[in-house]
Amino acid sequence: MPDRFSWTTARKIAWREARASSTRFLFVVVAVALGVGALTGVRGFSRAFREMLLKDARRLLAGDLSVRTFSLPSPEQEAEMESLVKSGVVRTWITESVSMLSPSPGATPVLVSLKAVDPAVYPFYGEVRLSPPVPLKEALKPDAVAVSEDLLLRLNLKVGDQVQLGAASFHIVGQVAIEPDRMAGSANVGPRILMSRQGIERTQLIVPGSRAAQRFLFKFNPGSIPVEKARERLKAVFPEALITDYRETHPLITRGLDRSTIFLSLVSLIALIVGAIGVGMAMHSHLQQKMDTIAVMKCLGARSSQIVRIYLLQTLMLGGLGGAAGIAVGLIVQRIFPILLARYFHLSPDMRLDLLSALQGLTIGVLTTLLFTLPPLVSIRRIRPALILRRDMEESRPSWQDRLKQGKLAGALAGVILSGILAIVYWLSDSLRVSAYFVGGFTASILALSLIAWLLLRLLKRISAWTAGRIPAAVRHGIANLYRPGNQATALLVALSLGVMFTLTVYLVQTSMLSQIASSAPPGMPNVFLINITPKEREGVAQMLKARDGIEGNTEVIPIVSARITKINGAAADQLNLRGFARRLLQTRNVTWLAEKPGPITVLEGRWWDPSAHAAKQGVQLCVSEDVAKALQLTPGALVEWKASSRLFASQVSCVYRNEAVRLGSNFDFVFIPGALDGLPILHFAAVRARPNVIAALQREMFARYPTVTVINGADVLAIIQEVVDQISLIIRFISLFAILAGAVILASSVAGTRFRRIREVVILKTLGATRARIAGIFSVEFLVLGVAAGLLGSILATAFSYLVLKRLFHVDYRFVLAPHLISIALTALLANAAGWMASHRILRQKPLEILRENL
């Protein structure tokens, strides 16, 4: 036999045995298919979306090149853009901001995102479609706006109605059905308004110093300057701008897509691991039933390596079949993603089979399956031919040397499995750090779940023994079924609990963060914010806020100027080796000035200036917050040079301070001496704490007197955050659902694996007089206990992980709410019961006489 045993022979034997156990193996193929399908669907959609971004880059930009900045262009920047126009390039200007819109006089205004374009040329590529259909050039007159559908529904408006926006009134000319460059825009929150450039001038919303997003689009005609050269010239005068051209995908969209793809791929990998655990369980159960066959084969001269070859091929068949089926599932997942994202984006990626994603999913599916079947495959070597002669003899207890050897082997196998998972995660994420975190979290989860599952099953066994005679026989028998040979209840609980744990963790983190934001703000924290207050409006707004009933605490109306650091101690900012938070501090930021030191501010180093001092007398003095000083390595005496509205000026650090205030309006990182910012474009910002019942009246009164001032209700901001978080959570839960389904399928596989033992049990019980209903009750108790236990385990681990994520990463207090945990446990119990009966409903129909005759 050793000389004639080829891979072909092994394949035939493997296929024959797999066909004989087709029911059991069908379930594990489905479990693997779910994991591979989620992974293939996520990565296939990502690649299709990326290809769409690149193929339709001109349409998604609405031009050949885009420059996005958050300030009005300087004379130098205007001159550079005009020189491009003279070379044959066509330019258009888009402004995006937020403002207040009122549907009628006296009505409560709402926060909207507005976009001003030149309808004569915008968009260069693609088409804006309105409903009712009308060309944009004809629709967007200076007194007309097009709006999103949600604004019409929210305010009960219709086409033709009048609305007030800023200092001007407009009539609604249509609903925006398609907007080609929406993904490339800046203001993508709340109802949307599309208007002309003449229209935004009528509103008087944009003044020097406004932090509205300005987007300049360019179209390159034949014979004009090359795109790459134009980009270099624009980058020189727009150092902070986001510059994108049609040769690449939009960097912000691509970055978000990459991060989302990695995260959802790892969630999909959890589902695949659950399926692979099921394959390992099924293979272990299968080998337990084939021990006699393996022993006979060894008696006939087969070597362990040759027998391993049979079951290795069987494993590869299962992984390959599951992977192939998963590719088909992945196509379905790909088609569902655009539906989930349709609320925010009009997506039309080509949803065809992506061969690279399919091959990657298939490969990872086979590798993961192989990793988790290593332990049962290696155990083949421990099967001795003498086993068939000693089957009915009492086994001797293994020596401590044997147990130590087995422990070392188990440790080595665990190391191989974790190393394999580490390599797979690195392949998916291209990050060793992410891989290490994933493997560490996965290992901790498996160990914790295994330990708790073992303790829980031991407790159930003790409870069943303690309450013998006091609980119904069906309940006691159902609990005892958890210990039937080959049931592998611990592994089942771990597999099903993994999916429950992850899905519930996502929900708990989401709800805890939002509830914390909504209800746990410190006393005095502002909940109403006023922006775009001009110097002329400052005094009137301040007096109005002070006189208004329902405003709590002091009213702050703070001047702000947009400025950017150019040098620190003589070193150019772009040459400083800064990263992360420190790097962001070099971008344009809002700065302010104060004469007297506020009470909540504590000077840590240096000194505050004399309140009567002025920049003209003492020079430009600057105080910086503690965090900024640490990030930029600033100490009293350091020189910081600035650029604001084309003006360069230098300042000297006078002090480093810590701000203990909880009022958002006081939390500026850079505070100048009075007079330092004179002559620069100034706007004012106010943050107040108002009782909820007076906010709407405050918004109405402020809009009536100062229509260009934007009043933002914190509750509206929270509602926007809620919508975005809900959408993200929906996608994550959709993918994590595959892990739960894989766990349920593994439960069904385990039931199918113990089918023959269950049939003999049913026959014996029926012979002793048990009715079908009583036997069904026993099985239902078994499945329900498994489901409740898995839901409980997942709930416990979800609580622990949610607590760690909220406390360590987001510094948010975790609040335990019982309802989500009870719902998770109940749904898991129902799912487990359905999965168990799916695999065992035929067993109840077995006739006792048929089975008894087979054993004669």
Side-chain angles (χ1 to χ4, degrees), residues 374-614:
L374 282 178
L377 289 177
V378 171
S379 69
I380 291 175
R381 294 182 174 274
R382 297 199 300 268
I383 298 177
R384 298 289 178 261
L387 179 66
I388 57 173
L389 303 176
R390 298 178 178 174
R391 175 56 58 88
D392 297 325
M393 296 177 61
E394 184 179 351
E395 294 186 6
S396 61
R397 181 181 176 84
S399 65
W400 68 270
Q401 292 94 339
D402 291 336
R403 281 181 286 167
L404 181 62
K405 185 183 297 185
Q406 292 177 12
K408 288 181 179 180
L409 179 61
L413 289 173
V416 171
I417 292 173
L418 294 178
S419 299
I421 294 175
L422 183 72
I424 291 171
V425 177
Y426 183 77
W427 187 17
L428 293 174
S429 65
D430 198 26
S431 169
L432 191 58
R433 184 168 175 240
V434 171
S435 305
Y437 276 123
F438 181 88
V439 172
F442 172 76
T443 304
S445 301
I446 290 291
L447 291 176
L449 284 171
S450 300
L451 177 61
I452 299 174
W454 180 81
L455 292 173
L456 189 59
L457 290 172
R458 296 281 293 182
L459 180 62
L460 284 173
K461 190 173 184 179
R462 291 286 181 88
I463 291 174
S464 181
W466 291 337
T467 58
R470 285 174 288 180
I471 60 175
V475 174
R476 191 168 65 253
H477 198 158
I479 295 175
N481 276 358
L482 298 176
Y483 303 96
R484 69 167 65 249
N487 205 27
Q488 297 178 303
T490 302
L492 278 173
L493 289 178
V494 170
L496 191 54
S497 300
L498 271 176
V500 176
M501 177 196 73
F502 193 85
T503 306
L504 187 56
T505 298
V506 171
Y507 176 81
L508 293 176
V509 170
Q510 170 199 355
T511 54
S512 295
M513 287 188 66
L514 291 174
S515 64
Q516 183 81 357
I517 294 172
S519 62
S520 300
M525 175 67 78
N527 59 351
V528 177
F529 309 96
L530 294 83
I531 61 176
N532 291 337
I533 305 171
T534 63
K536 293 181 180 179
E537 297 167 330
R538 179 193 179 282
E539 190 60 32
V541 170
Q543 292 298 327
M544 179 178 165
L545 291 174
K546 289 179 181 178
R548 182 78 197 180
D549 292 335
I551 303 295
E552 303 172 359
N554 296 325
T555 300
E556 296 178 292
V557 182
I558 301 170
I560 54 175
V561 171
S562 296
R564 176 171 60 90
I565 295 175
T566 58
K567 292 183 180 180
I568 296 178
N569 290 325
D574 56 0
Q575 296 178 357
L576 297 173
N577 187 22
L578 301 175
R579 298 183 181 276
F581 172 68
R583 190 72 183 172
R584 291 195 296 271
L585 293 172
L586 301 180
Q587 300 172 354
T588 298
R589 303 183 68 81
N590 288 332
V591 300
T592 189
W593 70 83
L594 288 173
E596 297 185 0
K597 181 180 75 65
I601 282 183
T602 302
V603 175
L604 304 177
E605 299 179 62
R607 63 181 182 84
W608 196 270
W609 43 79
D610 184 346
S612 61
H614 194 274

Side-chain angles (χ1 to χ4, degrees), residues 662-856:
V662 297
R663 299 185 62 77
L664 189 61
S666 302
N667 296 336
F668 284 91
D669 293 319
F670 301 97
V671 179
F672 286 86
I673 191 172
L677 305 176
D678 288 352
L680 293 173
I682 298 172
L683 287 177
H684 290 79
F685 165 86
V688 299
R689 179 77 182 182
R691 292 199 299 269
N693 61 334
V694 304
I695 293 177
L698 174 63
Q699 287 178 310
R700 290 193 296 269
E701 184 178 350
M702 189 66 67
F703 188 82
R705 292 180 58 181
Y706 304 102
T708 59
V709 174
T710 300
V711 182
I712 302 175
N713 182 0
D716 293 338
V717 176
L718 185 62
I720 293 171
I721 295 174
Q722 176 83 57
E723 288 183 7
V724 175
V725 172
D726 285 348
Q727 194 72 19
I728 295 172
S729 299
L730 175 63
I731 296 171
I732 296 173
R733 286 198 294 268
F734 168 69
I735 296 299
S736 61
L737 178 64
F738 283 83
I740 297 179
L741 291 177
V745 172
I746 295 310
L747 172 60
S749 171
S750 175
V751 172
T754 57
R755 178 172 174 267
F756 293 109
R757 291 190 179 98
R758 290 178 182 273
I759 288 175
R760 286 196 293 269
E761 177 186 339
V762 166
V763 167
I764 292 172
L765 290 174
K766 283 185 174 181
T767 303
L768 295 175
T771 63
R772 180 178 295 186
R774 177 176 287 275
I775 299 172
I778 292 172
F779 284 180
S780 295
V781 168
E782 177 187 354
F783 303 146
L784 283 173
V785 169
L786 267 175
V788 169
L792 183 61
L793 286 179
S795 176
I796 293 172
L797 264 294
T799 302
F801 274 104
S802 301
Y803 177 83
L804 290 175
V805 169
L806 291 169
K807 293 291 287 187
R808 298 290 184 183
L809 295 183
F810 301 110
H811 306 289
V812 173
D813 292 334
Y814 174 75
R815 294 184 177 181
F816 181 80
V817 180
L818 185 60
H821 298 272
L822 294 179
I823 293 173
S824 297
I825 293 171
L827 291 178
T828 308
L830 292 176
L831 183 64
N833 203 38
W837 278 113
M838 181 175 64
S840 60
H841 67 280
R842 294 182 182 179
I843 295 174
L844 293 181
R845 296 203 298 264
Q846 294 293 334
K847 302 296 183 182
L849 193 58
E850 295 176 1
I851 305 302
L852 292 174
R853 282 175 175 172
E854 289 179 4
N855 295 325
L856 291 176

Side-chain angles (χ1 to χ4, degrees), residues 100-115:
M100 307 301 293
L101 178 144
S102 176
S104 61
T108 302
V110 297
L111 184 69
V112 296
S113 298
L114 60 87
K115 177 178 178 180

Side-chain angles (χ1 to χ4, degrees), residues 20-92:
S21 304
S22 57
T23 303
R24 178 198 313 151
F25 286 147
L26 175 63
F27 286 113
V28 297
V29 167
V30 172
V32 173
L34 289 171
V36 172
L39 183 62
T40 305
V42 167
R43 301 189 77 80
F45 174 81
S46 176
R47 285 180 57 82
F49 192 79
R50 192 184 302 275
E51 289 176 3
M52 181 200 71
L53 292 178
L54 192 58
K55 182 178 67 175
D56 296 337
R58 281 188 167 100
R59 180 177 62 84
L60 295 173
L61 280 178
D64 290 320
L65 186 145
S66 167
V67 177
R68 192 187 73 173
T69 183
F70 287 92
S71 59
L72 294 173
S74 66
E76 179 188 9
Q77 293 166 341
E78 277 286 1
E80 185 59 53
M81 289 190 290
E82 281 302 316
S83 71
L84 292 178
V85 172
K86 291 178 182 178
S87 71
V89 179
V90 184
R91 180 186 74 156
T92 189

